[in-house]
Amino acid sequence: MKLHDQKLRKLGLAVIQVETQAIAALADQINDDFVLACTLMFNCKGRVVVTGMGKSGHIAGKIAATLASTGTPAFFVHSGEASHGDLGMITRQDVVLALSNSGETEEVLTILPIIKRLGVPLIAMTGNPASTLAKFATTHINVAVEQEACPLGLAPTSSTTAALVMGDALAVSLLEARGFTRDDFALSHPGGSLGRRLLLMVGDIMHADEKVPSVSESALISHALLEMTEKKLGMTAIVDADNRVTGIFTDGDLRRMLSRNLDVHKTSITEVMTPNCAVISADILAAEAMQIMERKKINALIVVDEQQRAIGALNMHDLIRAGIV
């Protein structure tokens, strides 16, 4: 059987349209039940235990991961495993979020009496407000869809998308309510590129000690050029007798100097340096250093201590190697 490109495009577009409509219909479900669900999770002294079976179980796992990474401690418990020992993971301090499109999933219903005995608040997310799970719950979030995107009406498509989007709505609402910040987010993602961008400090990647290009105010241009060549950072700091930064000399300054026909062996570096240059401290985020470079349209910064003494140097290549850019 030959596949036709136009037909495939039409089928794909139809799926997106059906699921888009399903998501749009969720706006009506951001109601008092939704607010109560958020309140229960916000006030939870333990963790939010998210459970489900089959495709709903996969969505439940993703919702638990999203909650955990945005400031709401949460984990996933497989409903089938719960009645075989994993139910011991739930404590009286927790809140349970149970997903079942039908609201009649046997494995989910099996654990309801234990949840009731523990006195744990139960948030149900189903597509059937009249279901056993919905009626048993402390609050019920209705994620019913008019139709599945599957033309057979069998494969969970629109229904799982709706549940996933509602889970995101819960997680992000709680994130905002908790005042969760970018730094908080980075603390739970230290191993990824996001963590590097948000947690890496200038002091972690700067060139320090003998690797810092530096010449005195009395140095000649030729001396500064040798220092730049040796340290390979495209610049050198100009410092006074106490090692306090008074200026910088960069590749850009060098190009501008060439038009003046100066004798590099006789001219002081102070005549061509950029005074009052931008400096940073070692304890600021590397991402902030990048923003400073971009804003000022420069490629290097000198790192100073509280007395404005040169203690390090940083250029754009260091930020690129560190994964900041």
Side-chain angles (χ1 to χ4, degrees), residues 200-206 279-286 302-306 311-312:
L200 202 63
M201 310 298 287
V202 166
D204 297 325
I205 60 174
M206 72 180 189
V279 296
I280 55 172
S281 61
D283 59 356
I284 73 167
L285 293 171
I302 301 168
V303 185
V304 298
D305 62 13
E306 294 179 354
I311 60 171

PDB file of all heavy atoms in Angstrom, residues 200-206 279-286 302-306 311-312:
ATOM      1  N   LEU A 200      26.725  28.018  38.030  1.00  0.00           N
ATOM      2  CA  LEU A 200      28.161  28.222  37.889  1.00  0.00           C
ATOM      3  C   LEU A 200      28.540  29.663  38.205  1.00  0.00           C
ATOM      4  O   LEU A 200      27.943  30.610  37.688  1.00  0.00           O
ATOM      5  CB  LEU A 200      28.589  27.866  36.463  1.00  0.00           C
ATOM      6  CG  LEU A 200      30.058  27.521  36.255  1.00  0.00           C
ATOM      7  CD1 LEU A 200      30.428  26.263  37.036  1.00  0.00           C
ATOM      8  CD2 LEU A 200      30.354  27.330  34.781  1.00  0.00           C
ATOM      9  N   MET A 201      29.541  29.827  39.071  1.00  0.00           N
ATOM     10  CA  MET A 201      29.988  31.154  39.455  1.00  0.00           C
ATOM     11  C   MET A 201      31.224  31.557  38.655  1.00  0.00           C
ATOM     12  O   MET A 201      31.943  30.706  38.118  1.00  0.00           O
ATOM     13  CB  MET A 201      30.329  31.188  40.948  1.00  0.00           C
ATOM     14  CG  MET A 201      29.242  30.600  41.849  1.00  0.00           C
ATOM     15  SD  MET A 201      27.679  31.496  41.749  1.00  0.00           S
ATOM     16  CE  MET A 201      28.076  33.000  42.624  1.00  0.00           C
ATOM     17  N   VAL A 202      31.475  32.856  38.579  1.00  0.00           N
ATOM     18  CA  VAL A 202      32.650  33.355  37.874  1.00  0.00           C
ATOM     19  C   VAL A 202      33.924  32.737  38.456  1.00  0.00           C
ATOM     20  O   VAL A 202      34.833  32.343  37.731  1.00  0.00           O
ATOM     21  CB  VAL A 202      32.713  34.895  37.947  1.00  0.00           C
ATOM     22  CG1 VAL A 202      34.083  35.410  37.517  1.00  0.00           C
ATOM     23  CG2 VAL A 202      31.621  35.511  37.081  1.00  0.00           C
ATOM     24  N   GLY A 203      33.970  32.630  39.788  1.00  0.00           N
ATOM     25  CA  GLY A 203      35.156  32.071  40.434  1.00  0.00           C
ATOM     26  C   GLY A 203      35.451  30.638  40.050  1.00  0.00           C
ATOM     27  O   GLY A 203      36.578  30.167  40.179  1.00  0.00           O
ATOM     28  N   ASP A 204      34.412  29.930  39.546  1.00  0.00           N
ATOM     29  CA  ASP A 204      34.596  28.531  39.154  1.00  0.00           C
ATOM     30  C   ASP A 204      35.329  28.387  37.833  1.00  0.00           C
ATOM     31  O   ASP A 204      35.932  27.337  37.573  1.00  0.00           O
ATOM     32  CB  ASP A 204      33.239  27.825  39.046  1.00  0.00           C
ATOM     33  CG  ASP A 204      32.497  27.760  40.361  1.00  0.00           C
ATOM     34  OD1 ASP A 204      33.173  27.616  41.402  1.00  0.00           O
ATOM     35  OD2 ASP A 204      31.255  27.840  40.357  1.00  0.00           O
ATOM     36  N   ILE A 205      35.270  29.387  36.982  1.00  0.00           N
ATOM     37  CA  ILE A 205      35.844  29.240  35.641  1.00  0.00           C
ATOM     38  C   ILE A 205      36.878  30.304  35.277  1.00  0.00           C
ATOM     39  O   ILE A 205      37.482  30.226  34.215  1.00  0.00           O
ATOM     40  CB  ILE A 205      34.724  29.252  34.583  1.00  0.00           C
ATOM     41  CG1 ILE A 205      33.929  30.562  34.629  1.00  0.00           C
ATOM     42  CG2 ILE A 205      33.795  28.058  34.750  1.00  0.00           C
ATOM     43  CD1 ILE A 205      32.900  30.691  33.514  1.00  0.00           C
ATOM     44  N   MET A 206      37.101  31.287  36.132  1.00  0.00           N
ATOM     45  CA  MET A 206      38.024  32.367  35.787  1.00  0.00           C
ATOM     46  C   MET A 206      39.472  31.889  35.813  1.00  0.00           C
ATOM     47  O   MET A 206      39.824  30.892  36.446  1.00  0.00           O
ATOM     48  CB  MET A 206      37.858  33.528  36.772  1.00  0.00           C
ATOM     49  CG  MET A 206      38.398  33.237  38.158  1.00  0.00           C
ATOM     50  SD  MET A 206      38.170  34.634  39.301  1.00  0.00           S
ATOM     51  CE  MET A 206      39.136  34.080  40.722  1.00  0.00           C
ATOM     52  N   VAL A 279      34.451  45.707  35.546  1.00  0.00           N
ATOM     53  CA  VAL A 279      35.033  44.622  36.339  1.00  0.00           C
ATOM     54  C   VAL A 279      33.899  43.862  37.023  1.00  0.00           C
ATOM     55  O   VAL A 279      32.779  44.359  37.126  1.00  0.00           O
ATOM     56  CB  VAL A 279      36.029  45.160  37.393  1.00  0.00           C
ATOM     57  CG1 VAL A 279      37.220  45.811  36.733  1.00  0.00           C
ATOM     58  CG2 VAL A 279      35.328  46.126  38.353  1.00  0.00           C
ATOM     59  N   ILE A 280      34.196  42.659  37.470  1.00  0.00           N
ATOM     60  CA  ILE A 280      33.205  41.845  38.161  1.00  0.00           C
ATOM     61  C   ILE A 280      33.859  41.178  39.362  1.00  0.00           C
ATOM     62  O   ILE A 280      35.085  41.122  39.471  1.00  0.00           O
ATOM     63  CB  ILE A 280      32.601  40.764  37.244  1.00  0.00           C
ATOM     64  CG1 ILE A 280      33.722  39.903  36.642  1.00  0.00           C
ATOM     65  CG2 ILE A 280      31.732  41.371  36.172  1.00  0.00           C
ATOM     66  CD1 ILE A 280      33.207  38.703  35.874  1.00  0.00           C
ATOM     67  N   SER A 281      33.023  40.644  40.245  1.00  0.00           N
ATOM     68  CA  SER A 281      33.530  39.893  41.394  1.00  0.00           C
ATOM     69  C   SER A 281      33.432  38.398  41.114  1.00  0.00           C
ATOM     70  O   SER A 281      32.664  37.961  40.249  1.00  0.00           O
ATOM     71  CB  SER A 281      32.754  40.247  42.661  1.00  0.00           C
ATOM     72  OG  SER A 281      31.385  39.917  42.516  1.00  0.00           O
ATOM     73  N   ALA A 282      34.178  37.618  41.852  1.00  0.00           N
ATOM     74  CA  ALA A 282      34.222  36.173  41.622  1.00  0.00           C
ATOM     75  C   ALA A 282      32.957  35.466  42.067  1.00  0.00           C
ATOM     76  O   ALA A 282      32.685  34.344  41.635  1.00  0.00           O
ATOM     77  CB  ALA A 282      35.429  35.571  42.340  1.00  0.00           C
ATOM     78  N   ASP A 283      32.165  36.107  42.929  1.00  0.00           N
ATOM     79  CA  ASP A 283      31.005  35.425  43.494  1.00  0.00           C
ATOM     80  C   ASP A 283      29.694  35.751  42.789  1.00  0.00           C
ATOM     81  O   ASP A 283      28.616  35.536  43.344  1.00  0.00           O
ATOM     82  CB  ASP A 283      30.881  35.746  44.984  1.00  0.00           C
ATOM     83  CG  ASP A 283      30.734  37.243  45.256  1.00  0.00           C
ATOM     84  OD1 ASP A 283      30.798  38.036  44.290  1.00  0.00           O
ATOM     85  OD2 ASP A 283      30.572  37.623  46.428  1.00  0.00           O
ATOM     86  N   ILE A 284      29.745  36.235  41.545  1.00  0.00           N
ATOM     87  CA  ILE A 284      28.521  36.419  40.781  1.00  0.00           C
ATOM     88  C   ILE A 284      28.377  35.254  39.809  1.00  0.00           C
ATOM     89  O   ILE A 284      29.338  34.538  39.507  1.00  0.00           O
ATOM     90  CB  ILE A 284      28.493  37.759  40.016  1.00  0.00           C
ATOM     91  CG1 ILE A 284      29.441  37.731  38.818  1.00  0.00           C
ATOM     92  CG2 ILE A 284      28.807  38.911  40.928  1.00  0.00           C
ATOM     93  CD1 ILE A 284      29.209  38.889  37.857  1.00  0.00           C
ATOM     94  N   LEU A 285      27.179  35.040  39.325  1.00  0.00           N
ATOM     95  CA  LEU A 285      26.931  33.946  38.402  1.00  0.00           C
ATOM     96  C   LEU A 285      27.636  34.184  37.073  1.00  0.00           C
ATOM     97  O   LEU A 285      27.695  35.310  36.579  1.00  0.00           O
ATOM     98  CB  LEU A 285      25.429  33.796  38.154  1.00  0.00           C
ATOM     99  CG  LEU A 285      24.582  33.336  39.344  1.00  0.00           C
ATOM    100  CD1 LEU A 285      23.102  33.463  39.005  1.00  0.00           C
ATOM    101  CD2 LEU A 285      24.925  31.904  39.710  1.00  0.00           C
ATOM    102  N   ALA A 286      28.151  33.103  36.507  1.00  0.00           N
ATOM    103  CA  ALA A 286      28.795  33.200  35.205  1.00  0.00           C
ATOM    104  C   ALA A 286      27.806  33.693  34.155  1.00  0.00           C
ATOM    105  O   ALA A 286      28.169  34.426  33.232  1.00  0.00           O
ATOM    106  CB  ALA A 286      29.377  31.843  34.807  1.00  0.00           C
ATOM    107  N   ILE A 302      37.761  41.694  33.818  1.00  0.00           N
ATOM    108  CA  ILE A 302      38.726  41.471  34.889  1.00  0.00           C
ATOM    109  C   ILE A 302      37.946  41.215  36.174  1.00  0.00           C
ATOM    110  O   ILE A 302      36.954  41.899  36.463  1.00  0.00           O
ATOM    111  CB  ILE A 302      39.647  42.691  35.066  1.00  0.00           C
ATOM    112  CG1 ILE A 302      40.393  42.981  33.766  1.00  0.00           C
ATOM    113  CG2 ILE A 302      40.649  42.455  36.204  1.00  0.00           C
ATOM    114  CD1 ILE A 302      41.095  44.317  33.757  1.00  0.00           C
ATOM    115  N   VAL A 303      38.379  40.238  36.923  1.00  0.00           N
ATOM    116  CA  VAL A 303      37.723  39.888  38.183  1.00  0.00           C
ATOM    117  C   VAL A 303      38.505  40.531  39.322  1.00  0.00           C
ATOM    118  O   VAL A 303      39.737  40.408  39.393  1.00  0.00           O
ATOM    119  CB  VAL A 303      37.671  38.357  38.365  1.00  0.00           C
ATOM    120  CG1 VAL A 303      36.861  38.007  39.621  1.00  0.00           C
ATOM    121  CG2 VAL A 303      37.071  37.680  37.139  1.00  0.00           C
ATOM    122  N   VAL A 304      37.796  41.221  40.210  1.00  0.00           N
ATOM    123  CA  VAL A 304      38.459  41.961  41.288  1.00  0.00           C
ATOM    124  C   VAL A 304      37.888  41.558  42.646  1.00  0.00           C
ATOM    125  O   VAL A 304      36.787  41.018  42.743  1.00  0.00           O
ATOM    126  CB  VAL A 304      38.308  43.482  41.092  1.00  0.00           C
ATOM    127  CG1 VAL A 304      38.966  43.929  39.801  1.00  0.00           C
ATOM    128  CG2 VAL A 304      36.829  43.884  41.103  1.00  0.00           C
ATOM    129  N   ASP A 305      38.668  41.840  43.696  1.00  0.00           N
ATOM    130  CA  ASP A 305      38.180  41.625  45.060  1.00  0.00           C
ATOM    131  C   ASP A 305      37.540  42.912  45.570  1.00  0.00           C
ATOM    132  O   ASP A 305      37.340  43.868  44.799  1.00  0.00           O
ATOM    133  CB  ASP A 305      39.304  41.137  45.978  1.00  0.00           C
ATOM    134  CG  ASP A 305      40.444  42.149  46.112  1.00  0.00           C
ATOM    135  OD1 ASP A 305      40.263  43.331  45.699  1.00  0.00           O
ATOM    136  OD2 ASP A 305      41.515  41.774  46.624  1.00  0.00           O
ATOM    137  N   GLU A 306      37.232  42.975  46.846  1.00  0.00           N
ATOM    138  CA  GLU A 306      36.549  44.139  47.402  1.00  0.00           C
ATOM    139  C   GLU A 306      37.390  45.409  47.337  1.00  0.00           C
ATOM    140  O   GLU A 306      36.852  46.516  47.351  1.00  0.00           O
ATOM    141  CB  GLU A 306      36.142  43.856  48.849  1.00  0.00           C
ATOM    142  CG  GLU A 306      35.095  42.761  48.979  1.00  0.00           C
ATOM    143  CD  GLU A 306      34.732  42.486  50.422  1.00  0.00           C
ATOM    144  OE1 GLU A 306      35.385  43.071  51.307  1.00  0.00           O
ATOM    145  OE2 GLU A 306      33.805  41.684  50.670  1.00  0.00           O
ATOM    146  N   ILE A 311      42.180  39.731  40.646  1.00  0.00           N
ATOM    147  CA  ILE A 311      42.370  38.365  41.148  1.00  0.00           C
ATOM    148  C   ILE A 311      42.032  37.315  40.087  1.00  0.00           C
ATOM    149  O   ILE A 311      42.240  36.120  40.301  1.00  0.00           O
ATOM    150  CB  ILE A 311      41.500  38.094  42.391  1.00  0.00           C
ATOM    151  CG1 ILE A 311      40.009  38.281  42.068  1.00  0.00           C
ATOM    152  CG2 ILE A 311      41.925  38.987  43.545  1.00  0.00           C
ATOM    153  CD1 ILE A 311      39.083  37.816  43.176  1.00  0.00           C
ATOM    154  N   GLY A 312      41.506  37.765  38.952  1.00  0.00           N
ATOM    155  CA  GLY A 312      41.140  36.809  37.917  1.00  0.00           C
ATOM    156  C   GLY A 312      40.813  37.499  36.610  1.00  0.00           C
ATOM    157  O   GLY A 312      40.770  38.725  36.512  1.00  0.00           O
TER     158      GLY A 312
END
